[in-house]
Amino acid sequence: MTDFYFVRHGQTTANAAGLKQGTINTKITFLTETGKKQAQTVHKHFDISFADRIVASPLQRTKDTADILNQSAHLPITYDKLLLEISYGNWDGSKNADLEAKYPQVFDHVLNDVLPSYAPLAHGETFTHVIDRADHFMSVTAQRYPDEKIIVVTHGFTIKAAVLAALGRPDNPMVVEEPDNLSITRITRKASSDNYYLRYYNRVVDSKS
């Protein structure tokens, strides 16, 4: 069995401003000082030396988060485009609250986040495509490393997509909210049977422990 420990990157300037980051990879999507401190807290309280490797999204915010987590463990790191954040198309870089006010019909107003129906309006990536990417990443990686423990540093929607894949793709994808910055989600995949097991979701490291 392959154990995936999904870690969302630290806070970015765009996170703090309430912007849709998508696949933007400029200074506004780099870690803030708060984001760096979040990563340092997880580094201090979540020893990743038990793992075999790190695989991260190639965007700067995930690369920097992975480097901070890996300061002591010195695990091999590779980058995979399958772990990129969802692309919101024309809405990348826009303020989420403004989009929700202008296009209320394509937002879930409990989660204050887009519904799958947003994609044609924004010319963005579909939920299904991101779920397919996350599913393919876990399938291929489990085949390649059938008995390893892998730290996966990626993005909020990408982790949500991995969880939806593990849960068998429920009809309503809004039953899963995006996880918090630097939270940890554990998914196990048994390569021989293609079975998934969601072990825990959105677990936040307690800096007071």
Side-chain angles (χ1 to χ4, degrees):
M1 293 185 292
T2 305
D3 281 322
F4 297 96
Y5 294 80
F6 286 88
V7 183
R8 187 184 176 191
H9 62 78
Q11 184 200 70
T12 66
T13 302
N15 285 152
L19 305 180
K20 290 288 190 199
Q21 294 184 100
T23 54
I24 295 173
N25 197 34
T26 62
K27 190 173 181 180
I28 198 170
T29 65
F30 295 174
L31 298 184
T32 61
E33 288 305 311
T34 295
K36 293 173 185 176
K37 288 177 182 176
Q38 290 170 333
Q40 290 286 5
T41 295
V42 175
H43 167 254
K44 181 179 178 182
H45 296 279
F46 180 54
D47 181 3
I48 66 169
S49 62
F50 69 89
D52 296 285
R53 66 188 65 251
I54 298 173
V55 186
S57 160
L59 299 184
Q60 195 63 48
R61 57 192 183 266
T62 41
K63 292 171 82 171
D64 289 345
T65 300
D67 286 343
I68 294 171
L69 297 180
N70 200 33
Q71 291 173 96
S72 302
H74 305 296
L75 299 176
I77 301 180
T78 56
Y79 306 101
D80 195 325
K81 289 182 179 180
L82 290 172
L83 296 173
L84 284 169
E85 179 61 299
I86 187 173
S87 171
Y88 293 102
N90 296 338
W91 291 2
D92 277 359
S94 299
K95 197 170 184 66
N96 189 72
D98 292 345
L99 293 170
E100 186 172 7
K102 188 174 182 179
Y103 305 103
Q105 72 277 17
V106 296
F107 272 78
D108 182 300
H109 302 296
V110 174
L111 301 183
N112 301 120
D113 208 353
V114 294
L115 296 165
S117 54
Y118 96 95
L121 272 175
H123 301 287
E125 190 175 12
T126 65
F127 282 30
T128 299
H129 189 262
V130 188
I131 296 168
D132 286 345
R133 281 202 280 114
D135 193 8
H136 185 60
F137 166 77
M138 290 188 287
S139 175
V140 169
T141 306
Q143 290 289 342
R144 186 177 299 154
Y145 307 114
D147 298 301
E148 290 198 358
K149 301 179 188 306
I150 300 172
I151 307 296
V152 182
V153 184
T154 184
H155 308 272
F157 193 95
T158 311
I159 296 172
K160 168 176 173 160
V163 169
L164 290 169
L167 294 176
R169 303 177 184 237
D171 292 337
N172 178 14
M174 307 312 288
V175 297
V176 177
E177 185 174 16
E178 288 190 26
D180 297 326
N181 291 112
L182 262 300
S183 64
I184 303 165
T185 294
R186 182 183 173 193
I187 298 173
T188 299
R189 182 177 171 98
K190 189 174 181 181
S192 61
S193 63
D194 294 334
N195 287 339
Y196 282 116
Y197 303 87
L198 177 61
R199 313 299 284 273
Y200 52 79
Y201 179 67
N202 199 30
R203 185 171 291 183
V204 178
V205 173
D206 182 6
S207 63
K208 297 178 183 178
S209 63

